[in-house]
Amino acid sequence: MSKLTAFLVSWQRAFAIAVVIAQAGIAVTGSIVRVTGSGLGCPTWPQCVEGSVVPVQHPEVAALHQWVEFGNRTLTGVVGVIAGLCVLAAWFNLPRRKRVLALSLIQLGGVALQAVVGGITVLTGLAWYTVSVHFMISMVLVWLAVLLVSSLSEGDGPARLLVPAPLMKLQVVMAAVLGALLLAGTWVTAAGPHAGDASTPRLGVEVATLAQIHADLLFLFLGLLIAVGFFTRTRTYWTLVGVVLAQGVLGMVQYWTGVPEVLVSIHVLGAGAVVIATASLWTSSRERTHEVELPADQALSKA
């Protein structure tokens, strides 16, 4: 085994954890682009401005906006490098494990997909629905990154429940409600004051109406979380409870104070934390063994 291969294998878990942080973190930097009005700081794609990949003096675009947007684009490359290291580590760690490799490739492919969606977002003038898709893909990638971390300490056998079956059904419903909750959150932002650029059209629905839908989905998620508590009260469960409550309080403060810029980015960070905590509860509720169980007749013959 070469030194490079040994390095990749020994740091595999660190790379996987890093990709969780990076996928959640780039959603936060994306929100910073939005609240600073820098969404069209680089008005073209893949170049920043016509004729230049990097920011240059431009009569119609402030330098600050250019560098904020360019910085977010550059971070996409950083996430891509981390995802690429995950793929290399999965490839060189023998015996090669298909599930780990597949989850790593999804991260790398997700970065490429996000680059394309980000380009479409810019070329459509930050159309609110493209921004929503951009964010939702990030949250899906965060969830799958948590599964990648978990897969490193699992086997490749079929999943076996560690909790009652009704709990897993509740978690499936929770995941669906969480997706709806996150999507509704993007709608609130789409109708709110932080368009990413002063000329960007907003979603033509009252913010109060969308905020109420968002809050209702949060209460539904909390209700499901309470129901889950009848089956399990592990540290992972209580972590999720704490993160969701903190995110809910932050959302209310954000609404009451007129959606200040700094709270928008903190709220996006909280959304990523909720996804990580929910996915962690999911992975802690099942296990995959390294052993392949033999059919009953073969097991008896070997005995």
Side-chain angles (χ1 to χ4, degrees):
M1 182 182 290
S2 69
K3 290 184 178 180
L4 176 59
T5 300
F7 167 77
L8 290 170
V9 171
S10 63
W11 282 78
Q12 185 174 21
R13 178 170 293 276
F15 296 148
I17 294 172
V19 85
V20 174
I21 297 170
Q23 294 288 16
I26 200 166
V28 177
T29 62
S31 73
I32 294 173
V33 171
R34 192 178 186 92
V35 299
T36 58
S38 304
L40 294 178
C42 289
T44 63
W45 185 88
Q47 296 180 324
C48 181
V49 293
E50 195 66 37
S52 177
V53 174
V54 299
V56 295
Q57 187 173 359
H58 194 284
E60 298 179 3
V61 184
L64 174 64
H65 292 331
Q66 285 192 60
W67 282 105
V68 170
E69 167 61 10
F70 180 74
N72 188 58
R73 292 188 183 188
T74 303
L75 283 174
T76 300
V78 174
V79 181
V81 169
I82 297 172
L85 290 171
C86 288
V87 172
L88 290 174
W91 182 263
F92 287 113
N93 192 0
L94 301 176
R96 195 169 295 131
R97 300 179 56 203
K98 292 182 179 180
R99 187 163 181 265
V100 174
L101 181 58
L103 288 168
S104 300
L105 286 169
I106 287 172
Q107 291 300 313
L108 186 59
V111 174
L113 175 62
Q114 282 290 68
V116 173
V117 173
I120 293 172
T121 300
V122 170
L123 296 177
T124 57
L126 305 183
W128 66 267
Y129 47 87
T130 62
V131 176
S132 293
V133 170
H134 206 27
F135 175 78
M136 293 301 293
I137 293 174
S138 283
M139 294 300 101
V140 171
L141 290 172
V142 169
W143 181 289
L144 293 174
V146 173
L147 265 59
L148 172 60
V149 174
S150 178
S151 71
L152 297 178
S153 57
E154 296 175 334
D156 296 311
R160 183 177 70 85
L161 296 185
L162 299 175
V163 297
L167 176 56
M168 293 308 300
K169 294 179 180 178
L170 275 174
Q171 290 192 58
V172 171
V173 177
M174 277 181 60
V177 172
L178 177 58
L181 176 61
L182 293 170
L183 183 59
T186 69
W187 294 344
V188 176
T189 303
H194 303 300
D197 186 80
S199 62
T200 300
R202 314 307 296 126
L203 175 59
V205 181
E206 288 292 332
V207 174
T209 300
L210 294 171
Q212 184 62 56
I213 293 172
H214 188 49
D216 290 343
L217 287 167
L218 173 61
F219 291 135
L220 176 57
F221 188 81
L222 282 170
L224 292 168
L225 195 52
I226 292 171
V228 168
F230 286 102
F231 294 93
T232 181
R233 296 176 188 176
T234 61
R235 180 180 297 180
T236 304
Y237 169 76
W238 288 116
T239 298
L240 175 56
V241 171
V243 171
V244 171
L245 290 177
Q247 180 74 337
V249 170
L250 178 60
M252 289 187 289
V253 172
Q254 184 181 1
Y255 182 75
W256 292 334
T257 55
V259 200
E261 288 84 353
V262 65
L263 291 188
V264 172
S265 294
I266 295 174
H267 201 52
V268 171
L269 177 63
V274 170
V275 172
I276 292 170
T278 307
S280 297
L281 182 63
W282 175 272
T283 59
S284 69
S285 300
R286 53 176 59 201
E287 68 173 0
R288 295 176 185 270
T289 64
H290 290 277
E291 300 173 355
V292 178
E293 295 184 3
L294 295 174
D297 56 344
Q298 293 185 33
L300 287 174
S301 64
K302 285 184 174 293

